[in-house]
Amino acid sequence: MREKRVNSDIPFLPQEIIRNVLKRLPAKTLIRFQCVCREWRNLFRTKSFIADHLGHSNNQNPGLLFQCFDGGDPLNLHCLDSEMQVWEFPKSPLHDYLKPDKIVGSYNGLLCVQINDPHVSPHPLLVWNPSIREVRLVPAINFHQDYEDYNIGFGFSPIINDYKIVIACNSQCYTEISAVQVYSLISGSWREVQFSLNCTECLSDESVTVNGIMFWLGSKRVGKDTDDDEVQIVSFDLANEVFTSIATPKLHLWTRLTVYEEKLAIVSCMTNSELSVVDLWVMEEGVHTSGEIWSWTKRYTSNPYPCWLYPQTIWRNEIVCTADIENKPTAVLFNPTTKRIKKHVIMKCDCGPDILNYVESLVPVGGMKSLQIFSMASTHS
Amino acid sequence: MSSSVEAITVLSSDGDEFKITVSAAKLSKPLNWMLEDVCFSDDCDEVPTIEVNSKTLVKVIEYCEKHAPRANSGASDSDAEELKKWDIEFMKMDVKDILFHILMAANYLHMEGLYDLACQTAADLMKGMTVSQIRKIFHIKNDFSSEEQEQLRRQHPGCSFD
């Protein structure tokens, strides 16, 4: 046998391997590693690397964002990461400068934030990527009148590779959608869109976007009484900007739209004598015998759980509900596959937090204005 | 290839001989191709060389032998759990010493599982490193001009070039 040659030198790794390692790092670490060299800084700004990194983060490190509305502190955010660690979201200079009020949408690491400005309705918005510390102010919308009541959706369409904000305004006299405006991150401007559904609609606060289609739970007025309202889903294709309505299966009182296996899903809860049952419905696309393009499949029904449950979202293939257990706000996670149920006490938040899916990303908010605003803000802090 | 062959002999780039069982070698596409090659018939004594040094090849073979039973027959949840724990122990190695060699070997041998594991281990180690430590292990020089450094500092207050 030949004499062994011990090679302790570190080999030069090929570009392909380095990329595969780097895409696994958290966005904030990559921001730090921008300072390594020009090549790395440039790499972290290329579309293909940003997409690879996002794809990996979405699969491996999806987080949950808890938004608390008590204590008078605006934008009180905590994040739960995939290792079940809770960390306080870093306060950004945004807080001192722009008075952010509420996260109204979260997609691919971008947050759509509403700013507290009592003089403007709808309130001004901004798009924020906390990981790369970029902010973009969204210009004000010119509606013909003031709308007190409106719904905001924020999502992404892979077809047009663009992020859009959708505002659907209800007229003051009654909950009827009377004006819709859409903002595109690429064009940087608002555009009016016709609400093409020929019926009275009222949308839920939260929207969900799956494969470029934005969905809301909506109600359709069929009788004189609100008790007669029929639940249906209103969808909006972000690419061609067309509304459609979709019938839902029979749902319980507490219902949320969410995403399961990259399909639109509904989590619905019913509580009876302090016992709650959670249902999971998944929408399948394709033409069915009934002639409908969509159909609903019930994928899971939980055993009765001994407290009131409020459905929130699906995270890492588990249904997340919030509950108040022994006076502690708690997240209860139901796994539709293993049927296991887990409990996690969530950070103190008196009124129960809003829960959003969140992933760290390098996705830029676009537009150079953002950087200027940011540096102004940072000198103020 | 004769079905009586249960293990094959390969040479490392340092010229050392290593034995690897046929089922373990199947974890690597190039090794699998070699298996189908005539060289492994009983009447051929030519030993193929794998362009991986001995120290690294020992680890690669150790990984293959551990993972082969599962890869060939499927595994229960408890097996998968046990294997995960084994992977973590297996990867407790010094980055300066051998991890990058394993990365190169796993890539060259088309071993998806090991490549993924080694990439993740490298990423986890890097999280705790400073910028200058990163430059050292990747053989990179700081090529920013002072203007560029200033610009990055403005965008990301507190970022460090050391």
Side-chain angles (χ1 to χ4, degrees), chain A residues 52-106:
Chain A
D52 277 0
H53 178 262
L54 176 65
H56 188 268
S57 303
N58 266 327
N59 279 327
Q60 301 297 321
N61 311 308
L64 279 185
L65 204 56
F66 295 82
Q67 180 166 214
C68 287
F69 296 105
D70 49 54
D73 189 10
L75 222 59
N76 185 2
L77 300 173
H78 287 82
C79 191
L80 177 68
D81 64 26
S82 52
E83 283 153 14
M84 302 310 282
Q85 299 292 313
V86 176
W87 43 277
E88 199 175 328
F89 223 61
K91 291 261 187 284
S92 77
L94 274 177
H95 282 74
D96 306 320
Y97 189 65
L98 292 166
K99 302 260 181 291
D101 187 34
K102 191 187 175 195
I103 310 276
V104 290
S106 165

Side-chain angles (χ1 to χ4, degrees), chain A residues 10 24 32 35-36 38, chain B residues 116 127 129 135 139 143:
Chain A
I10 311 173
R24 294 157 195 267
R32 204 158 60 78
C35 301
V36 167
R38 281 180 180 154
Chain B
D116 209 54
K127 279 181 205 166
M129 290 186 177
R135 284 197 199 108
H139 311 281
D143 56 359

Side-chain angles (χ1 to χ4, degrees), chain A residues 13-23, chain B residues 107 115 119:
Chain A
L13 293 180
Q15 196 54 244
E16 177 204 341
I17 298 182
I18 295 179
R19 253 183 95 125
N20 203 319
V21 172
L22 290 174
K23 77 170 186 197
Chain B
N107 185 44
Y115 183 54
C119 281

Side-chain angles (χ1 to χ4, degrees), chain B residues 1 3 5-8 19-29 31-32 35 61 63-73 111:
Chain B
M1 192 193 99
S3 57
V5 179
E6 279 175 4
I8 54 171
K19 280 227 180 301
I20 177 166
T21 60
V22 168
S23 64
K26 280 182 177 162
L27 259 66
S28 153
K29 267 185 209 143
L31 282 180
N32 212 11
L35 279 177
I61 292 175
Y63 177 92
C64 289
E65 298 292 357
K66 182 71 189 177
H67 278 257
R70 179 177 173 256
N72 294 333
S73 65
M111 293 173 57

Side-chain angles (χ1 to χ4, degrees), chain B residues 120-154:
Chain B
Q120 193 55 51
T121 308
D124 290 342
L125 281 165
M126 286 167 68
K127 279 181 205 166
M129 290 186 177
T130 64
V131 166
S132 50
Q133 284 170 327
I134 292 291
R135 284 197 199 108
K136 207 167 174 186
I137 63 167
F138 285 95
H139 311 281
I140 293 171
K141 279 205 168 70
N142 180 3
D143 56 359
F144 287 117
S145 67
S146 52
E147 288 82 17
E148 286 170 316
Q149 296 200 15
E150 194 45 48
Q151 199 193 353
L152 274 170
R153 276 202 195 94
R154 265 205 310 276

